[in-house]
Amino acid sequence: MSHVLTFLFWLAIVLVLTFITLPLLVVVAASFSPTSAVTFVPWEWTFDWYGDLLADRWLQPFLLSVKIATLVAIISGVLGVLAAYAIVYERVPGSDALMAGLLSPLSVPQIVKGVAIVLFLSIIGLQGFLGTPALIAAHVVLALPFVTRMAATSLANFDGNLDRAAQSLGASKRQRLQHIVLPMIKPGVLSGVTLAFIISFNNIPLSVFLVRPGDTTLPITVINYLEYSLDPVMAAVNVASMAFILTVIFLFEKIGGFSAQLHGGSK
């Protein structure tokens, strides 16, 4: 019986992975199509479509998305660590309510948040805020719960004996935070920052309400392009975006141990 269950378990994993990866493989193959119509002829594949990615049509939205995602990752990282520090480490009064408030954006659909932000800016007369400033602020609201939760989890799993030992040896609070607490929770913080970057870079439901002409992110540019055309350039853009995100994840893993948070430990 156990062998049958093991077989069914691995069969389910293979089927799920196949379901996930096959569409990606189709997109990758389509990006090498020799003609403007998407075809699958391996012996005629070409890299020519990737050369179009350097055109301003794609390069400018990509650079804007990277800039916004970087700022969102930094801002949400700082705010998330400070919030987690106050809630878990200092245990300020009302910490449970504060955590609930910080996590509350997760309960609201992104489309609803996008409409609400647009209406709010219109009511208070800040329509000019739409574009990059509004995108950064909205993406921070979207990403902050993830960063806060991951940083709070790392702090909750932190061995308090290390902090108390440093205190007994005369270390100040600043020294304990700088040399003990922050290095120990670094995997959780960096995993949250990485997730914030990815959420911001790939966001569509929230961004679609906040972009303005000449100030459009890459995902929105892709959606607008799909309204009129479907060709290998579109596949090349998606493959390049996927490769970029994988590179970001790899770099953060090398810097601070992204996967350590997944195993509940620190690197």
Side-chain angles (χ1 to χ4, degrees):
M1 184 64 180
S2 61
H3 293 293
V4 175
L5 292 176
T6 301
F7 172 77
L8 293 176
F9 171 75
W10 285 108
L11 178 62
I13 290 179
V14 171
L15 291 175
V16 170
L17 291 177
T18 301
F19 180 78
I20 293 174
T21 56
L22 273 181
L24 299 178
L25 294 177
V26 171
V27 173
V28 172
S31 68
F32 299 112
S33 178
T35 63
S36 58
V38 177
T39 58
F40 301 94
V41 187
W43 53 87
E44 296 181 1
W45 280 355
T46 177
F47 289 91
D48 293 345
W49 302 109
Y50 286 90
D52 294 342
L53 301 183
L54 298 178
D56 287 342
R57 179 174 192 171
W58 301 111
L59 187 58
Q60 294 302 322
F62 169 76
L63 294 176
L64 178 62
S65 293
V66 172
K67 180 178 73 173
I68 292 175
T70 302
L71 292 173
V72 168
I74 294 173
I75 296 172
S76 60
V78 173
L79 294 179
V81 170
L82 292 176
Y85 171 79
I87 294 171
V88 179
Y89 191 84
E90 292 291 347
R91 299 187 183 277
V92 297
S95 57
D96 291 339
L98 179 59
M99 176 61 81
L102 289 170
L103 298 181
S104 61
L106 297 177
S107 63
V108 181
Q110 294 187 40
I111 292 179
V112 175
K113 287 197 287 279
V115 173
I117 292 173
V118 172
L119 292 176
F120 174 74
L121 294 177
S122 300
I123 291 173
I124 64 177
L126 292 178
Q127 296 90 336
F129 193 67
L130 293 173
T132 299
L135 282 170
I136 294 173
H139 287 187
V140 167
V141 172
L142 180 64
L144 185 59
F146 296 96
V147 181
T148 303
R149 190 60 184 172
M150 290 184 176
T153 301
S154 292
L155 280 171
N157 293 330
F158 171 70
D159 187 358
N161 291 326
L162 297 175
D163 187 45
R164 286 188 287 271
Q167 186 177 10
S168 67
L169 294 173
S172 64
K173 177 177 289 189
R174 183 189 62 79
Q175 290 174 324
R176 301 199 308 273
L177 288 174
Q178 180 180 352
H179 299 290
I180 298 177
V181 178
L182 289 179
M184 293 297 293
I185 68 171
K186 183 173 68 173
V189 174
L190 286 180
S191 61
V193 169
T194 305
L195 186 57
F197 184 95
I198 296 172
I199 290 173
S200 175
F201 184 86
N202 290 325
N203 185 267
I204 293 177
L206 190 60
S207 301
V208 72
F209 294 98
L210 303 174
V211 297
R212 60 185 180 186
D215 205 14
T216 306
T217 60
L218 183 61
I220 303 303
T221 302
V222 169
I223 293 298
N224 293 336
Y225 188 85
L226 281 174
E227 292 182 6
Y228 306 101
S229 178
L230 177 61
D231 54 37
V233 174
M234 192 77 274
V237 170
N238 285 283
V239 171
S241 297
M242 183 170 56
F244 173 73
I245 290 299
L246 291 176
T247 301
V248 170
I249 295 174
F250 176 79
L251 290 176
F252 271 93
E253 164 63 24
K254 288 299 181 182
I255 292 172
F258 180 82
S259 62
Q261 179 70 7
L262 299 179
H263 298 90
S266 57
K267 189 172 180 177

